[in-house]
Amino acid sequence: MADTAVTEHDLYPTRVAEERDTVRRDTPTIAGTDRPGPFTADELRRHDERGFSILPGFLSSEEVSASLGELGRLQDDPALRNDERLVTEADTGQVRSVFDVHLLSDLLGALARDGRLVERARQILGTDVYLHQTRINYQPGFTGSGFYWHSDFETWHAEDGMPTPHCVSCQIALTDNLPYNGGLMVMPGSHRLFVPCVGETPQDNFRSSLKAQTVGVPSHARITEMAEAYGIEQFTGPAGTALWFDSNIMHGSGNNITPFPRSNIFMVFNSVENRPEKPYSGTAPRPEHIAHRTDTTPL
Amino acid sequence: MADTAVTEHDLYPTRVAEERDTVRRDTPTIAGTDRPGPFTADELRRHDERGFSILPGFLSSEEVSASLGELGRLQDDPALRNDERLVTEADTGQVRSVFDVHLLSDLLGALARDGRLVERARQILGTDVYLHQTRINYQPGFTGSGFYWHSDFETWHAEDGMPTPHCVSCQIALTDNLPYNGGLMVMPGSHRLFVPCVGETPQDNFRSSLKAQTVGVPSHARITEMAEAYGIEQFTGPAGTALWFDSNIMHGSGNNITPFPRSNIFMVFNSVENRPEKPYSGTAPRPEHIAHRTDTTPL
């Protein structure tokens, strides 16, 4: 079986034939609390413990407006309609995500290289960083369908060949994230636990998984166990708030029946020492706009 | 058209052929603030303004446990498996609602007649009251699918022939209602606005509408307008908390991807002066377990 061959030398076995034990990360999940930069030592310690940090007022309201303008422009751009970088909702055909926004927009490209982001990513990872993935997620009012519980790293490891969770994401709210419009839920501390998922990865899985994930999701029993152990916290905050989170933290989001859309920029910083190898699930690498492997120049 | 014939003498026209103006209730929505009983005058005034009241600790933890025991018993009762009073989720077949719980359970029957409920219902409605409907809603963890925005009265008027919104519901949480496990959202003050809904009512609509409502829901444009005017508040609180709400308040609930189920008892008290007539949508009356019309003896 591909399963055995792949997992033999693999610290983070997943897409396996049957439920197996979780893998605990015992070493610090940040580079160290003494690294100078915008995060204080306390903030870094807390990030190590919880796996995420919430920074209100990370973008000014002018920056939020400008970014929303770019979002609107990309959503409506007829040139992107049949572009792979644009993903639509399975039910309604509305735009769900746009990938590679740092390349599609000068403004968002500048944001991705902004010191407020890059220096924080360097503090957490302790090395130079590059962009593994960027996107905007757009959860429209009324019909936004959410994302089931998952670890991003689980997919990036299996389908992109990212060796370790030495990688951090920054999500920036472009609209208010309310308790009731599908805001992200995280399990604090769960970034220390890697959860192998059951099920073989189909070739080209990404074509459907970005609409609704069916492979790479933990069992209900595992999620129940983890929710009891770690609890659940919800990311809420006004537009402009940033959420930094470990690539392995367990997270998900509910649907949105309110009229209020929920839009977020999502930028993933990977350590230059953690560049993707051959996908661990044995499938072909996903396209460059989902996981950069050619363009990994440090920021 | 049935539409015109029905709505000519109807204060609350709905299930109409095209969007029409909302109907404003200008008279007080409670009987008066001077009526003696468990609600204070201030609480009644506030209920009139907002259309709902939240009462923490309404049931003791012993009462919650006993009620949950009854819920479990009813869910698993093989005798109820093919009973109309039990409604299952469209996707998964799991139990979504059990109706007529005051008749199916001695314990819940006693609760329905308890002074804490009946006296409050009398204070709000200003008359003797009877039970229009009782049920338990069970939103299981992971797959609970929620209820789209609606006014209960809109359905009770159209499909049960309830003349006016002179009717109040008491919902009691049997599990913690968290911000992120599909808790009820209400629009404070919206009970004063009756929203006609577009669309003809199919015969036996209730067979599908109790799983997922497609007729009797306001347009996206109307919900957006109302959310801007009234705002949205979410009902959260520990098990044992009660929510009293006007039969015409606009409310809905999202899905639940957490492992934490959300179960509520739901008891609807109608004024003896507001007994159902011929359904205003022109359809046959719904079964007795959904809308009592034979057994309307005052409590």
Side-chain angles (χ1 to χ4, degrees):
Chain A
M1 293 297 297
D3 179 11
T4 328
V6 166
T7 57
E8 219 164 293
H9 308 290
D10 183 1
L11 278 172
Y12 302 102
T14 190
R15 315 296 166 98
V16 289
E18 50 192 45
E19 283 277 356
R20 60 167 76 186
D21 285 349
T22 54
V23 178
R24 180 159 287 279
R25 293 164 68 194
D26 288 322
T27 50
T29 61
I30 57 157
T33 56
D34 53 352
R35 295 186 66 90
F39 274 128
T40 66
D42 260 2
E43 285 172 333
L44 288 171
R45 199 169 299 121
R46 193 122 172 92
H47 191 93
D48 185 37
E49 266 168 37
R50 289 160 58 82
F52 68 98
S53 302
I54 294 174
L55 305 178
F58 191 77
L59 289 194
S60 70
S61 56
E62 292 73 27
E63 289 174 309
V64 168
S65 300
S67 303
L68 273 176
E70 285 297 273
L71 167 59
R73 187 180 66 75
L74 295 172
Q75 273 187 310
D76 297 339
D77 187 346
L80 284 176
R81 268 292 129 179
N82 295 307
D83 192 302
E84 279 208 318
R85 292 171 290 186
L86 191 143
V87 178
T88 53
E89 292 270 351
D91 304 351
T92 61
Q94 284 185 278
V95 173
R96 178 174 168 96
S97 303
V98 182
F99 282 82
D100 257 358
V101 289
H102 68 296
L103 301 177
L104 289 168
S105 155
D106 290 344
L107 186 119
L108 298 173
L111 181 61
R113 290 185 303 272
D114 189 294
R116 288 171 291 178
L117 283 94
V118 178
E119 285 174 33
R120 281 189 172 85
R122 282 202 199 108
Q123 273 185 294
I124 290 173
L125 302 177
T127 64
D128 272 349
V129 300
Y130 73 93
L131 291 166
H132 173 67
Q133 179 189 96
T134 69
R135 68 170 187 266
I136 287 181
N137 280 345
Y138 180 75
Q139 199 190 37
F142 296 114
T143 54
S145 61
F147 290 84
Y148 191 74
W149 296 102
H150 65 285
S151 145
D152 289 332
F153 170 66
E154 191 276 343
T155 295
W156 298 341
H157 183 66
E159 302 189 20
D160 301 331
M162 185 183 283
T164 74
H166 196 195
C167 177
V168 67
S169 297
C170 176
Q171 176 183 300
I172 306 173
L174 293 184
T175 55
D176 295 347
N177 279 238
L178 306 161
Y180 45 74
N181 70 340
L184 200 71
M185 297 178 277
V186 297
M187 297 190 186
S190 64
H191 63 307
R192 292 205 166 270
L193 206 66
F194 180 79
V195 181
C197 295
V198 172
E200 216 172 317
T201 313
Q203 289 293 342
D204 285 353
N205 180 44
F206 68 92
R207 290 191 197 281
S208 61
S209 72
L210 301 176
K211 298 186 188 222
Q213 201 169 353
T214 52
V215 186
V217 290
S219 67
H220 284 185
R222 187 69 78 193
I223 291 290
T224 304
E225 192 184 288
M226 290 178 75
E228 275 159 18
Y230 296 109
I232 293 175
E233 273 189 39
Q234 202 175 13
F235 170 54
T236 57
T241 306
L243 169 72
W244 286 86
F245 61 107
D246 189 282
S247 60
N248 189 47
I249 202 165
M250 191 57 68
H251 64 288
S253 58
N255 70 353
N256 180 14
I257 71 160
T258 79
F260 310 125
R262 196 173 63 82
S263 301
N264 291 287
I265 302 175
F266 188 75
M267 292 185 173
V268 183
F269 298 92
N270 193 21
S271 165
V272 292
E273 295 170 3
N274 195 38
R275 289 187 171 99
E277 299 168 357
K278 209 165 146 285
Y280 290 79
S281 65
T283 47
R286 299 195 296 177
E288 196 75 16
H289 69 273
I290 298 178
H292 286 282
R293 53 176 65 237
T294 306
D295 180 9
T296 62
T297 322
L299 292 164
Chain B
M1 295 296 297
D3 179 14
T4 329
V6 166
T7 57
E8 220 163 292
H9 308 289
D10 183 1
L11 278 173
Y12 302 103
T14 190
R15 314 296 168 98
V16 290
E18 48 193 46
E19 282 277 355
R20 59 167 77 185
D21 285 348
T22 54
V23 179
R24 179 159 287 278
R25 293 164 68 194
D26 287 323
T27 49
T29 62
I30 57 157
T33 55
D34 53 353
R35 293 186 67 90
F39 273 129
T40 67
D42 259 3
E43 284 173 333
L44 288 171
R45 199 169 297 121
R46 193 123 172 90
H47 190 92
D48 185 38
E49 268 169 35
R50 290 160 58 81
F52 68 97
S53 303
I54 294 174
L55 305 180
F58 190 77
L59 289 194
S60 70
S61 56
E62 292 73 26
E63 288 174 309
V64 168
S65 299
S67 303
L68 272 177
E70 284 298 271
L71 166 59
R73 187 180 66 76
L74 295 172
Q75 272 186 312
D76 296 339
D77 187 347
L80 284 175
R81 267 295 129 179
N82 294 309
D83 192 301
E84 279 208 318
R85 293 172 289 186
L86 191 142
V87 178
T88 53
E89 292 271 351
D91 303 351
T92 61
Q94 285 184 276
V95 173
R96 178 176 168 94
S97 303
V98 183
F99 282 83
D100 257 359
V101 289
H102 68 297
L103 300 178
L104 289 168
S105 155
D106 290 343
L107 187 118
L108 298 173
L111 182 62
R113 291 185 303 272
D114 190 294
R116 287 171 290 178
L117 283 95
V118 178
E119 286 174 32
R120 282 190 172 84
R122 282 202 199 107
Q123 273 185 295
I124 290 173
L125 302 178
T127 64
D128 272 349
V129 299
Y130 74 91
L131 290 166
H132 174 66
Q133 181 189 95
T134 68
R135 67 169 188 267
I136 287 180
N137 279 345
Y138 180 75
Q139 199 190 38
F142 297 115
T143 55
S145 63
F147 291 83
Y148 191 74
W149 296 101
H150 65 286
S151 145
D152 290 332
F153 169 67
E154 191 276 342
T155 294
W156 298 340
H157 184 63
E159 302 189 21
D160 301 332
M162 184 182 284
T164 75
H166 196 196
C167 176
V168 67
S169 299
C170 176
Q171 177 184 300
I172 305 172
L174 294 185
T175 55
D176 294 348
N177 279 239
L178 306 161
Y180 45 76
N181 71 340
L184 200 72
M185 296 179 278
V186 297
M187 296 191 187
S190 64
H191 63 308
R192 292 205 166 271
L193 206 67
F194 180 79
V195 182
C197 295
V198 173
E200 217 172 315
T201 313
Q203 289 292 345
D204 286 351
N205 181 43
F206 70 91
R207 290 189 197 282
S208 60
S209 73
L210 300 177
K211 298 184 188 225
Q213 202 170 352
T214 52
V215 186
V217 291
S219 67
H220 285 185
R222 186 68 77 192
I223 290 290
T224 304
E225 195 183 287
M226 290 179 74
E228 275 158 19
Y230 297 109
I232 293 175
E233 273 189 39
Q234 202 175 13
F235 169 53
T236 58
T241 306
L243 170 72
W244 285 86
F245 61 107
D246 190 281
S247 62
N248 188 48
I249 202 165
M250 192 56 69
H251 64 288
S253 57
N255 69 354
N256 180 13
I257 70 161
T258 78
F260 310 125
R262 196 172 65 82
S263 301
N264 292 287
I265 301 175
F266 189 75
M267 294 187 170
V268 183
F269 297 92
N270 194 20
S271 166
V272 292
E273 296 171 4
N274 195 37
R275 288 188 171 98
E277 299 168 357
K278 207 162 145 290
Y280 290 77
S281 65
T283 48
R286 300 195 295 177
E288 196 75 17
H289 68 274
I290 299 177
H292 286 282
R293 52 177 64 237
T294 306
D295 180 10
T296 62
T297 321
L299 292 165

